[in-house]
């Protein structure tokens, strides 16, 4: 009886070791390092020129975290909505939106290589109180 129980525990451990990391790896692959030569706006914050890591959170397809270059500080955890393309992109694409004169451009969307869907960033328009 003990040997059957031990075998079941070992089998369960092998199963989780073999399959669980692969299940999470698909989400954690959605990570890029970006270098901005000028300040850019993200919802609620302006990032100075520099290196950042964008990661789609493994808890949801539509949550993006933005870290510093060595991933020791999270600048923002943002809810996003899907943005779609007709054809997958070959390399990472970040689209920027122009703002008023003198204001930094804003990150509008992020597309990961090989995907036809990306993450659109949501901004509040303070004059209207709605999404922009």
């Amino acid at each position: 009886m003990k040997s059957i129980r031990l075998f079941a525990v070992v089998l369960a451990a092998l199963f989780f070791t073999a399959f669980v990391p692969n299940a999470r790896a698909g989400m954690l692959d959605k990570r890029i390092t970006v270098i901005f030569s000028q300040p850019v706006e993200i919802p609620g914050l302006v990032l100075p020129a520099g290196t950042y890591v964008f990661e789609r959170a493994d808890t949801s397809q539509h949550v993006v975290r933005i870290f510093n270059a060595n991933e020791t500080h999270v600048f923002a955890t943002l809810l996003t909505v899907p943005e779609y393309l007709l054809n997958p992109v070959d390399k990472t694409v970040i689209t920027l939106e122009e703002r008023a004169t003198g204001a930094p451009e804003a990150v509008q969307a992020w597309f990961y290589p090989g995907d036809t869907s990306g993450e659109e960033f949501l901004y509040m328009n303070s004059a209207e109180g709605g999404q922009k």
Side-chain angles (χ1 to χ4, degrees):
M1 183 70 166
K2 285 184 181 180
S3 63
I4 293 173
R5 194 174 291 165
L6 178 61
F7 178 74
V9 169
V10 170
L11 186 61
L14 287 173
F15 174 79
F16 285 113
T17 303
F19 295 106
V20 172
N22 290 335
R24 286 196 69 208
M27 288 298 207
L28 295 179
D29 287 343
K30 306 294 181 171
R31 168 187 299 231
I32 59 162
T33 300
V34 180
I35 301 171
F36 293 112
S37 59
Q38 301 176 30
V40 294
E41 182 181 355
I42 59 172
L45 183 67
V46 173
L47 299 173
T51 303
Y52 300 92
V53 175
F54 283 51
E55 171 189 82
R56 191 164 75 185
D58 60 348
T59 57
S60 170
Q61 288 188 329
H62 303 296
V63 174
V64 173
R65 285 189 289 246
I66 302 173
F67 298 88
N68 61 349
N70 58 4
E71 299 182 48
T72 58
H73 177 74
V74 177
F75 286 101
T77 301
L78 305 167
L79 291 173
T80 61
V81 295
E83 172 87 11
Y84 297 100
L85 299 171
L86 294 176
N87 298 306
V89 294
D90 293 334
K91 57 184 178 182
T92 297
V93 173
I94 292 181
T95 58
L96 299 174
E97 182 179 285
E98 287 187 39
R99 297 293 187 176
T101 304
E105 292 181 308
V107 175
Q108 181 179 13
W110 162 38
F111 296 91
Y112 192 80
D115 287 354
T116 56
S117 68
E119 305 301 324
E120 181 182 351
F121 292 77
L122 302 173
Y123 293 87
M124 296 299 289
N125 184 341
S126 59
E128 297 175 11
Q131 294 177 354
K132 182 175 181 189

